[in-house]
Amino acid sequence: MLRTALRNLLAHKARLAMTVLAVCLGVAFVSGTLVFADSSAAAHRAAASKSFAGIAVSVTPKHSPDAPPGEDPAGVLDDALVRKLAGVPGVASVRPAADGSATLSAADGTPLRAGRARANLGAAHVPDGNGEDRRYPLVEGRAPRSGDEIAVDGGTAAAGRFRLGEPVRLATDGPVMTKRLVGIVATEDTRVTAGGTLALFDRATAQQLFAAPGRYTGIDLTATPGTGQAELSARVAAVLPAGRAEATTGTAQAAQQALYVGTLTRGHTKLPLVFAGVSLFIGSFLIVNTFTMLVTRRTREIALLRAIGASRRQVAGSVLAEAALLGLVASAAGFLLGLGVAAALPGLLGTAQDALPDGPLVIGPRPVVAALGVGVGVTVLAAWLPSRRAAKVAPVEAMRSVQRPPSAARSRIRAAAGLVLLVLGAGLLVSLSGAKDASTQNLQDAMLACGVLLVALIVLAPLLAAPVIRLAGRLTGRFGAVGHLARENALRDPRRTAATASALMISTALVAGLAVVGNSTAQALDRRAAAGLGADYVIGTRTPTTGIDPAAVERVAATAGVRTAAAVADVSLFTGGGVRQIAGVDPAAVDAVMKLDFTDGSAKELGPGRIAVSSTLARERGVGAGDRLDAHIGRGGDPRPYTVVGVYRDNPVAGDALGDLGEVRSAGFLPGSAQRILVRTVDGASAAMDERLRTAVGDNPLLKVQDRAALVHEAAGSVGELLTLMYGLLAIGVVISALGIVNTLAMSVSERTREIGVLRAIGMDRAGVRRMVRLEAVIVAAFGTLLGLAGGVFSAWAVGSLANGAMAQYSLVIPWGTLLLVCLLSLVIGAAAAVVPARRAAALSPLRAVADS
């Protein structure tokens, strides 16, 4: 039986190669992603180890809970402690550090390599006795010596196109500064090599910016030969001020930094794994269909094996052995292809703004086991049903020349199971659509319901094939007898047609659902970004720890063409055990820059001790105009009663509550500063006004000047990831669907050799045969596309109803153009997939076809 399985496998090499390719794609994504993850982690660890090479112990400040409020924890690290640590036995050298954050400005005024997954480091250049800093060795130029000079690393210089001697604009936590670039250094700090920037200052300047004169943010120690890191760490800890500083070994620091950087880039592995799951899921239908067709075609052969003594277990084992061999080949090919995927991912995922560390590919046991498990497991699992069907073939089948149709009982069972799943999935989606609550549990239930609905369509597909294909056959009937034959060929085996169309149906459902949700979300974000905004511009901070000083607000207000410039201070509001956001505003200017719709009271009475609240907060706390609300603004302190002077409809610009600008600003993280400036201009937004406002804030890279269009673009930025996923899934589905159509038509042509020969003999030319096969492929593709569109749009409607609970501006907007493009693409792919089978069918000789069949 094993020899029989091997012979059958080799007898259909070309046909099974397409099945191997389908499994190979999934295995390649899985193994390639795992190899990439292991290689990336190893590269991060290696880079971190190099960055901390030679550092035995690092001393950092530790904030004590008993310390007086406002005390700087870095105050304990001073020159006296540096001298004290230098005298600890086993310490070879001491390097004090003054590190912080410094954001550099690119040529166009935008921040260089800034973002939530970037590290914009500022540090002191600390030379040793030879005038060199071993942590940041000079590559070009010299080290900074005064407060108006800086040095940067080579990657930062290349990204910003900085040249020695030129001015560089940057900011730490205040106004923008301009310094002259005097040096370029090398660094192996993974926070920088993973896409961040590095700016080096002389020691005095760095202390002034990031600590205090004579103070440091950290102290690095090297050990004498023969002194271990743990031993030295214990000695250092013994001389540190108790509870105010701590010692950490260099190995622990390197591991912590590698973990930090690895966390920032962990998302790079998610998208390939999603593609892997989808390709394997869709590919499994191709495997099932291929083995089902092979078993059906070998019915007489299997019956003869049963007649000469083969047991059902042996027949089933033969099919599963064939699948296992196929899976082994697919796993091996997929693993090799996965190495190419792993090598290509750093270049595809890494950019100048988010570079990935270089390093060799690390091939561990996990990717190998995953490739074998996924490839063989999926293939054998998909072949299980066909193997059972093969085992049920009776010896008498050898005398039959016609394939038996599925029994009526089996069809009724399939219909009942499909209807139950359909009602269950659709019913759950409809029930969830009325909830309008985008909680995690509801979203998980919605995803489960979408999966059940998709399985229901797969189960019902053979039963839906006949009516849908007959409907589509009205269009193909315009091609005359050729179109009629194509329709009848597609209806000949509804199970085969449904299995072939299932791959396209799944990918179309995923793409249609994502397209509808993505388009609706993008338009909702567009409306939300500008909702409640009466200003033409919003000047905001890029980080929550940055503030806008009052002088910048005054300069913006004095800018030509500005009608109103209202500072807004955003601070946390603690009330009722929850954390809200309160915006401090000037009551005299709020109506000019915000579109507030008050249902009770107004903003005119805002002042110290008086606030206005949103409808949601008012409803949750049960308050209205004239009532009192116990709350606390800012961190620390006890709640106090505030008088509610008004209730306004929820407004994303105003937030949960409005308060007096002076009171809120004084309670913020940076007292006296603002987080936003809302600007109303005389003539609206323009390029000239953009430039004037950027100049007014000093081209500070920590601040962003955005008009309404820029706000909308930023809000919809996350939708781009959804579109990337959508097109990736579509590409995978199209490739595997094309393979399935080619496979099915190739076997169909082989089974219909005599029929095609008769058609040729009675006058059908080769062009007619090719057209018949292509129309059959288009019908199958249309069937899968229609089912997929129906399931995807329905699921998107239900899931979108949940999104409406989290985003009031959300409404279902169907992207007709995108869906039409998907339909046309599916039909084109169906026709293209039929090219080779159609040519084979047309090349058959009429006499030989009749004689050989």
Side-chain angles (χ1 to χ4, degrees), residues 541 544 568-575 578-584 594 611-614 617 620 629 631-634 648 651-659 664 667-669 675-676:
T541 61
V568 179
D570 296 314
V571 181
S572 297
L573 176 71
F574 297 87
T575 175
V579 182
R580 306 293 180 181
Q581 198 77 11
I582 184 170
M594 291 185 186
I611 63 174
V613 298
S614 66
L617 182 57
E620 291 178 355
L629 177 67
H632 177 73
I633 300 176
Y648 55 87
N651 187 308
V653 179
D656 301 307
L658 291 174
V664 174
F669 181 78
Q675 281 65 51
R676 289 180 288 166

Side-chain angles (χ1 to χ4, degrees), residues 60-194:
T60 54
K62 183 178 182 181
H63 183 74
S64 173
D66 300 328
E71 181 186 67
D72 182 10
V76 68
L77 306 185
D78 55 13
D79 290 325
L81 183 60
V82 171
R83 291 191 296 268
K84 188 176 182 179
L85 292 175
V88 173
V91 173
S93 64
V94 180
R95 181 189 183 278
D99 300 340
S101 176
T103 304
L104 289 86
S105 178
D108 59 356
T110 59
L112 184 65
R113 288 181 168 181
R116 60 182 176 88
R118 316 285 195 267
N120 303 113
L121 302 181
H125 186 273
V126 183
D128 55 17
N130 298 323
E132 298 180 356
D133 188 338
R134 289 178 296 176
R135 188 165 188 180
Y136 304 117
L138 279 167
V139 175
E140 189 177 354
R142 60 173 177 83
R145 298 170 183 167
S146 62
D148 62 348
E149 297 177 342
I150 64 165
V152 300
D153 68 286
T156 300
R161 298 181 180 179
F162 300 146
R163 296 181 180 179
L164 293 179
E166 293 183 345
V168 176
R169 301 174 66 83
L170 71 151
T172 52
D173 61 354
V176 66
M177 301 176 286
T178 300
K179 299 185 181 295
R180 187 165 60 92
L181 181 64
V182 297
I184 296 176
V185 302
T187 180
E188 293 176 339
D189 192 320
T190 51
R191 294 170 296 177
V192 179
T193 58

Side-chain angles (χ1 to χ4, degrees), residues 454-489:
L454 190 60
V455 173
L457 292 177
I458 294 171
V459 174
L460 291 174
L463 304 178
L464 297 174
V468 175
I469 290 177
R470 287 194 178 95
L471 181 63
R474 295 183 179 180
L475 297 177
T476 60
R478 298 184 177 183
F479 291 89
V482 171
H484 176 74
L485 288 173
R487 184 191 64 185
E488 294 304 315
N489 289 334

Side-chain angles (χ1 to χ4, degrees), residues 595-731:
K595 295 178 181 178
L596 296 172
D597 183 8
F598 276 87
T599 59
D600 192 6
S602 69
K604 296 179 181 179
E605 301 299 324
L606 285 175
R610 298 191 297 273
I611 63 174
V613 298
S614 66
S615 299
T616 298
L617 182 57
R619 184 172 59 253
E620 291 178 355
R621 304 301 300 151
V623 297
D627 294 334
R628 292 188 176 271
L629 177 67
D630 290 334
H632 177 73
I633 300 176
R635 298 185 299 174
D638 298 323
R640 54 162 289 192
Y642 283 86
T643 300
V644 178
V645 299
V647 178
Y648 55 87
R649 298 187 187 278
D650 290 358
N651 187 308
V653 179
D656 301 307
L658 291 174
D660 177 70
L661 176 61
E663 182 179 23
V664 174
R665 185 158 54 183
S666 63
F669 181 78
L670 298 172
S673 65
Q675 281 65 51
R676 289 180 288 166
I677 307 175
L678 304 184
V679 182
R680 183 78 176 269
T681 63
V682 177
D683 299 320
S686 65
M689 179 56 68
D690 286 357
E691 186 64 28
R692 288 198 293 269
L693 291 177
R694 292 183 188 278
T695 301
V697 296
D699 282 333
N700 194 327
L702 296 179
L703 302 180
K704 49 186 177 181
V705 178
Q706 297 173 294
D707 58 11
R708 289 171 175 267
L711 287 170
V712 168
H713 179 74
E714 181 182 62
S718 58
V719 180
E721 298 179 2
L722 186 65
L723 295 177
T724 300
L725 177 63
M726 181 186 76
Y727 293 127
L729 296 177
L730 178 61

